[in-house]
Amino acid sequence: MAEAKVTMDSGKGSDLIVVKDMVKYFPVRGGFLQRVKAHVKAVDGVSFTIKKGETLGLVGESGCGKTTVGRTLLRLTPPTGGHVYFEGKDVFALRGRELKEIRKDMQIVFQDPYSSLDPRMPVGESIMEGLVVHRIGSPAERWEKAIHLLRMVNLEDFHAKRYPHEFSGGQRQRIGIARALALDPKFIVADEPVSALDVSVQAQVLNILMDLQEQLGLTYMFVAHNLSVVEHISTRVAVMYLGKMVELADRHEIFQHPLHPYTQALMSAIPIADPKKAGSRDRIILEGDVPSPINPPSGCHFHPRCPYAIKGVCEKEEPVFKDYGSGHFVACWLVDKEA
């Protein structure tokens, strides 16, 4: 099996996070003794870097492993294998106090803002919770910081004493962002933070995230389905398919010149707002369904649905995820052949 080469330099800033061959398998149990019968290969050898101050957009179909990458990177889900280096420290090797300390620098904004907040706790206390866990500041200082964070996400001081059910979806997501900022993190995983919101509210939340990034020098990994949103907020974009990374490049490069057949199919599905240009793009319809991650295809995972699959190659050999120029990484035998 070919190994991914992690010599990824987009030319912007230095690496804050380096992910090498990350693997996350979930056991499938069955029978009277609940023995492990198989494994769901949610993330299967993913490698990439995230630069300081950038936003890496992560896209792909439902079930491709995007959210699992984010949660495993933060150690919210225990890894099966691989390494994640945050400022040179191997996150997967840390234990006890060292792990607790590094968690302050790595936070997450969850997809569902309601289920991520304690319904029995005023939002001001929810925001302070991380400060209490890490024993930062006095009660008065923690409350003052909670108020300050609410103001940063365009909410009012009196909102701190209200409960989650008293807010709209967009307001709850802003509270989730404020809570993620409480420990002054350097890196935030935004796990589909606007997918459950109305379009007008999505714009508000995205603008808040971008303003905070500029003010605080934050680094994001932005997980999403909506390619238009990803294009708007991202510095670079990575595309996943069935637990594998298939393409990674600068935002403009990947949207204007996608190289992998799967990325090309995704881009062809983006709606065109101008009616005069609506027929200018050929829609690529992929045949068949996404294979099961319990038993993924051999070789290139995409080959059963790929219209350009090379017979005798794609179904047998896994393509190497490598740079084809200017930080444009692709895992595809067709691209390799044409290079």
Side-chain angles (χ1 to χ4, degrees), residues 70-189:
R71 294 180 68 91
T72 305
L73 191 154
L74 298 177
R75 285 280 298 272
L76 296 179
T77 300
T80 302
H83 301 275
V84 170
Y85 297 96
F86 179 83
E87 295 185 325
K89 296 180 181 178
D90 189 346
V91 178
F92 291 175
L94 299 179
R95 297 290 183 274
R97 182 177 296 177
E98 287 183 315
L99 179 59
K100 185 176 179 180
E101 281 299 310
I102 208 168
R103 286 196 187 281
K104 291 191 292 186
D105 293 327
M106 306 169 73
Q107 293 292 311
I108 185 169
V109 177
F110 294 98
Q111 178 179 358
D112 185 350
Y114 187 71
S115 64
S116 65
L117 295 171
D118 189 336
R120 301 165 297 178
M121 186 181 290
V123 299
E125 292 185 21
S126 289
I127 293 171
M128 293 192 303
E129 199 168 14
L131 299 171
V132 174
V133 170
H134 289 273
R135 299 178 182 178
I136 298 172
S138 65
E141 290 170 335
R142 294 166 189 162
W143 185 256
E144 185 179 344
K145 182 155 190 178
I147 297 298
H148 174 67
L149 290 168
L150 285 172
R151 292 172 183 168
M152 289 183 71
V153 295
N154 298 335
L155 291 173
E156 302 295 335
D157 296 10
F158 62 85
H159 285 139
K161 294 185 178 180
R162 291 188 175 180
Y163 290 83
H165 72 272
E166 299 180 78
F167 295 91
S168 67
Q171 288 175 321
R172 284 197 288 262
Q173 194 57 284
R174 282 187 268 164
I175 293 164
I177 294 169
R179 188 175 61 170
L181 294 173
L183 293 171
D184 301 317
K186 299 175 183 178
F187 172 67
I188 293 178
V189 173

Side-chain angles (χ1 to χ4, degrees), residues 251-280:
R251 170 188 61 186
H252 300 294
E253 176 69 16
I254 204 166
F255 277 90
Q256 296 299 322
H257 305 289
L259 297 180
H260 197 281
Y262 177 63
T263 310
Q264 292 171 359
L266 288 182
M267 299 305 172
S268 75
I270 301 174
I272 299 176
D274 189 346
K276 295 180 181 179
K277 299 180 181 179
S280 63

